[in-house]
Amino acid sequence: MSAVLDALTGPWEYDFWRRALLVALLSGLVCGVVGGHVVLRGMAFIGDAVAHAVFPGIAVAFVLGTNLVIGGAVAGVITALLIAVVAQNRRLKEDSVIGIFFAAAFGLGIVILSAAPGYGGSLESFLFGSILGISDSDVVSVAVIGAILLLATALLNSRLVAATLDREQARAVGLPVFWLDIALYVMVTLAIVISLQAVGNVLVLALLVTPAAAARLLTDRLGVMMLLAPAIGAGGSVLGLYLSYAFDLAAGGLIVLTLTGIFVLCWLFAPRHGLVTGARSRRSTAVLEAKS
């Protein structure tokens, strides 16, 4: 028992650990909340797109020596707004517009960054995360943006769900569907930006989508799903960080693998929609029918 307590409390003596734990917790929580809407709308591709779209902003911030979170947020929001506006032309499908802009944004980031000497290490941390190297100012940025996102989600949740389930009906009752689209894109962008240092650009989509997908398997009620997704995101992120400390392995990768493991367990054993539980239910039904 004491060994378990030592393992849980031992890392707390390090400042970098406390900062990393807070960011992991906030990232998992915020991505779980925002990711619920991403999964409901079936727009996981936008998450991947925005993760690439923040690249030019981070590149500019790196070259200028300013805050990478703010630089990424500005670039991501601009790209998200462009996608929302251009996608209103229904001759073009939304995934096509997203593909065009995220490729262009990523290409611009590469061009900008290639002009700066000695960028290799920073690029690697951007791609794969550097949660154990987070500074106090980064923690403040994540906390402030995370609080704003949680407040915005609480205020807009019912309207976002209505626009997701039936866009024409939402327009008919007077909801500003276009502006709700923009709000969701911006929220996704900011959620991704604050999570980049936790898991990196390559893996951030998993933090946004996996907890919400697992929650979707566990319940048919949207309200419950919106509570389960951030709980899974935050819990999985913290567990992954502890595993990283225990085994001295990459934190970002273990966070994502932990969340994936939770998803697989839900896929197998979810009460109504799990593969194993579904098979047992069908077998029990077949036995009862045979007896009758």
Side-chain angles (χ1 to χ4, degrees), residues 252-278:
L254 276 176
I255 288 173
V256 170
L257 289 177
T258 301
L259 291 172
T260 304
I262 293 172
F263 170 79
V264 171
L265 289 175
C266 294
W267 179 69
L268 289 172
F269 302 110
R272 293 188 60 186
H273 304 290
L275 182 66
V276 174
T277 51

Side-chain angles (χ1 to χ4, degrees), residues 14 16 44 78 96 156 164 174 248 264:
Y14 303 109
F16 73 85
I78 291 174
S96 299
L156 296 175
T164 295
D248 193 23
V264 171

Side-chain angles (χ1 to χ4, degrees), residues 65-292:
T66 57
N67 190 290
L68 299 185
V69 173
I70 295 175
V74 171
V77 168
I78 291 174
T79 306
L81 292 175
L82 288 172
I83 290 172
V85 170
V86 175
Q88 297 304 304
N89 184 337
R90 293 305 172 185
R91 290 282 296 174
L92 296 172
K93 290 189 176 182
E94 191 175 45
D95 61 346
S96 299
V97 177
I98 291 170
I100 292 168
F101 278 100
F102 99 68
F106 198 68
L108 177 61
I110 292 173
V111 170
I112 294 172
L113 206 53
S114 67
Y119 66 86
S122 294
L123 177 59
E124 182 179 348
S125 65
F126 166 71
L127 291 175
F128 304 111
S130 57
I131 193 170
L132 297 180
I134 287 175
S135 65
D136 289 333
S137 62
D138 291 330
V139 174
V140 172
S141 298
V142 170
V144 171
I145 295 175
I148 293 172
L149 279 175
L150 292 176
L151 177 61
T153 306
L155 294 174
L156 296 175
N157 183 67
S158 60
R159 297 183 180 187
L160 289 171
V161 170
T164 295
L165 297 179
D166 192 334
R167 295 176 69 82
E168 296 307 318
Q169 179 64 25
R171 287 193 180 96
V173 299
L175 290 180
V177 173
F178 170 69
W179 292 107
L180 288 171
D181 284 348
I182 287 181
L184 182 56
Y185 287 165
V186 171
M187 289 162 60
V188 170
T189 299
L190 295 178
I192 285 174
V193 167
I194 68 172
S195 304
L196 284 178
Q197 289 171 299
V199 295
N201 174 267
V202 175
L203 302 174
V204 72
L205 182 63
L207 196 59
L208 186 70
V209 174
T210 306
R216 184 70 169 152
L217 291 172
L218 292 174
T219 180
D220 294 324
R221 299 175 59 186
L222 293 180
V224 176
M225 173 188 167
M226 292 301 180
L227 293 175
L228 284 175
I232 293 171
S237 296
V238 171
L239 178 57
L241 191 60
Y242 266 106
L243 291 174
S244 169
Y245 176 84
F247 296 104
D248 193 23
L249 295 172
L254 276 176
I255 288 173
V256 170
L257 289 177
T258 301
L259 291 172
T260 304
I262 293 172
F263 170 79
V264 171
L265 289 175
C266 294
W267 179 69
L268 289 172
F269 302 110
R272 293 188 60 186
H273 304 290
L275 182 66
V276 174
T277 51
R280 287 176 179 173
S281 177
R282 289 190 296 271
R283 190 181 307 116
S284 298
T285 302
V287 170
L288 290 174
E289 289 177 351
K291 289 181 178 180
S292 61

